[in-house]
Amino acid sequence: MSGIRIANLEKRFGQVQALYPSNLEIAEGELCVFVGPSGCGKTTFLRMIAGLEEATEGEIFIDNQEVTWMEPKKRQVAMVFQNYALYPHLTVQGNLEYPLNILRLNKEAKARRVRQVAGLLEIEKLLQRKPAQLSGGQRQRVAIGRALVREPKVFLFDEPLSNLDARLREQMRLEIRQLHLRLKRTSVYVTHDQHEAMTLGDKLVVMNQGRILEIGPPLELYRNPQTLFTAKFLGHPPINLFPGEAREGVFQAGPLQCQAPIHSGPLTLAIRPEDLTLGQGPGLQLQGRAQLIEHLGREAYVTLATDLGTLRLVTAEEPAQVGENLSVWAAENKILWFNDQEQRIIS
Ligand code: ATP
């Protein structure tokens, strides 16, 4: 079983606590995505799994074997970096062969592996080119090939698509997902991009300020976040938030009133933009003036100015005109509640 187990792993750089004690299990064949804002500790976490950064405390197991103090090259992990890290003086073929030099393979076996990987990534025609003669997407494909060729137990990806333009990023994301489905190799993928995180992984690890906040399947974390941070971080347009107060079991935020899940105290009401519907309906009712309408083809994003602040909704209907007064509603079971500790309250 080449899964990964992390036990009480911690990292300090002097006074900086980059990772607080953390526990995590990644099953064999799973693609696990670490997501969080810049500086939350995700790269440090990944580099500790790779052996490029020493743990301050805790243990790392790969394939049930403790690797916490093992040299990187003995861990049987391969990492793909954001900046590709290709050797500029070597051809694509040379770059793909390079990691095989430390393995005792004969020339024939090496050539076979390079051919296989080049075929898998459809870069056979590029084998004689140097990295400077490749596009960004082709370079990243070679970098992935270089990780594949060693046949590691675990793949580690450190924001591999950040240097690519939006269209290419989308294409490479699909390719990485398809490659994963084909090879089913345990993988950890670091990104600060919530869209990438939502669509790529089997398991999502949401991090903030050196801590793991939540772990789960992406859709589950999206629909059922346990923290306000996760609710805000996942989803575009972002979730609508109305901070207010419960009094005698009634939530109030400006003119908005509805039944609260607690008797009294500060509360935040949150609704996803797609859970709001234009018009009147049974549930929470809001009014606002259409400020901005963004047509995306299949759907539109509508930004409303309300007495409570800006509200965004996603609609497939033909939306109104800018400046028009609109009613919107949400079913009560779509409301998410958070307390002043930013923790979810289940109503
Ligand atoms: P980004 O998305 O910007 O790469 P990240 O979530 O990957 O961010 P890390 O690079 O893991 O975050 O950094 C976590 C924290 O540790 C940050 O506060 C960072 O400044 C600090 N840090 C990282 N490396 C070092 C180092 N070598 N020495 C001191 N502090 C460091």
Side-chain angles (χ1 to χ4, degrees):
M1 287 287 287
S2 48
I4 302 173
R5 185 161 69 83
I6 304 294
N8 297 314
L9 191 66
E10 186 176 348
K11 180 68 185 179
R12 287 190 294 271
F13 293 105
Q15 298 296 311
V16 178
Q17 184 90 34
L19 187 70
Y20 287 90
S22 298
N23 295 290
L24 177 66
E25 293 211 16
I26 303 170
E28 179 174 17
E30 203 166 42
L31 198 170
C32 176
V33 178
F34 292 178
V35 69
S38 181
C40 72
K42 51 198 188 300
T43 299
T44 303
F45 201 155
L46 192 77
R47 287 172 61 82
M48 282 195 282
I49 299 173
L52 301 175
E53 206 71 75
E54 264 184 21
T56 308
E57 298 281 346
E59 290 149 356
I60 302 165
F61 299 84
I62 296 176
D63 211 3
N64 284 327
Q65 189 188 7
E66 187 175 356
V67 300
T68 322
W69 301 104
M70 194 185 272
E71 273 183 77
K73 65 176 183 232
K74 294 203 175 137
R75 295 188 184 196
Q76 297 193 54
V77 302
M79 193 146 160
V80 180
F81 298 91
Q82 177 180 350
N83 59 5
Y84 322 126
L86 299 175
Y87 296 109
H89 59 288
L90 295 181
T91 59
V92 169
Q93 171 119 17
N95 269 284
L96 292 178
E97 275 172 3
Y98 194 85
L100 299 176
N101 291 338
I102 59 160
L103 306 178
R104 286 205 197 87
L105 292 176
N106 63 33
K107 232 177 145 188
E108 188 48 37
K110 268 192 204 172
R112 197 170 47 239
R113 280 214 201 168
V114 168
R115 264 201 315 275
Q116 267 176 355
V117 165
L120 195 63
L121 293 164
E122 297 178 7
I123 49 176
E124 300 106 316
K125 293 206 175 89
L126 307 175
L127 286 172
Q128 299 317 315
R129 290 205 202 164
K130 297 263 177 73
Q133 299 167 306
L134 302 174
S135 70
Q138 289 168 335
R139 276 181 216 167
Q140 196 50 282
R141 222 172 271 151
V142 177
I144 293 170
R146 209 175 45 175
L148 283 176
V149 81
R150 279 175 50 198
E151 302 188 348
K153 286 182 179 165
V154 168
F155 286 118
L156 305 174
F157 295 91
D158 187 10
E159 307 231 14
L161 309 183
S162 324
N163 288 347
L164 305 178
D165 66 45
R167 194 174 286 266
L168 202 51
R169 209 158 59 214
E170 170 109 21
Q171 186 191 333
M172 287 299 293
R173 197 179 69 230
L174 282 174
E175 285 186 25
I176 291 176
R177 181 75 195 150
Q178 277 166 353
L179 202 62
H180 176 74
L181 292 174
R182 261 162 96 174
L183 302 177
K184 276 286 171 203
R185 207 60 64 84
T186 311
S187 305
V188 186
Y189 188 106
V190 161
T191 181
H192 61 266
D193 178 339
Q194 66 88 26
H195 186 84
E196 223 166 271
M198 283 298 297
T199 51
L200 198 56
D202 305 308
K203 177 184 271 180
L204 203 52
V205 174
V206 179
M207 295 181 65
N208 190 29
Q209 296 183 341
R211 294 179 205 278
I212 294 180
L213 293 190
E214 294 192 51
I215 303 171
L219 210 51
E220 173 62 20
L221 295 193
Y222 178 81
R223 289 192 177 140
N224 209 7
Q226 297 306 303
T227 60
L228 185 60
F229 181 85
T230 303
K232 286 197 284 191
F233 197 79
L234 301 180
H236 181 80
I239 196 164
N240 295 295
L241 300 174
F242 301 109
E245 182 116 15
R247 290 192 200 109
E248 308 279 320
V250 177
F251 174 76
Q252 291 186 6
L256 182 68
Q257 280 201 358
C258 63
Q259 197 183 342
I262 56 172
H263 184 262
S264 59
L267 266 183
T268 296
L269 182 157
I271 313 174
R272 293 261 176 226
E274 66 274 22
D275 291 332
L276 284 164
T277 309
L278 288 169
Q280 312 269 339
L284 195 68
Q285 200 72 52
L286 293 153
Q287 265 83 39
R289 180 183 288 265
Q291 248 183 349
L292 186 68
I293 297 172
E294 297 159 84
H295 291 281
L296 301 174
R298 192 165 47 85
E299 59 194 13
Y301 299 163
V302 181
T303 304
L304 294 178
T306 75
D307 291 343
L308 296 165
T310 302
L311 182 73
R312 297 191 80 188
L313 72 101
V314 176
T315 178
E317 289 171 39
E318 188 56 37
Q321 304 292 316
V322 168
E324 218 175 302
N325 285 320
L326 298 173
S327 294
V328 295
W329 68 279
E332 286 198 5
N333 63 4
K334 298 291 187 188
I335 296 173
L336 304 177
W337 295 102
F338 297 91
N339 67 17
D340 56 348
Q341 307 295 306
E342 303 202 346
Q343 298 296 312
R344 176 89 177 274
I345 301 175
I346 306 288
S347 52

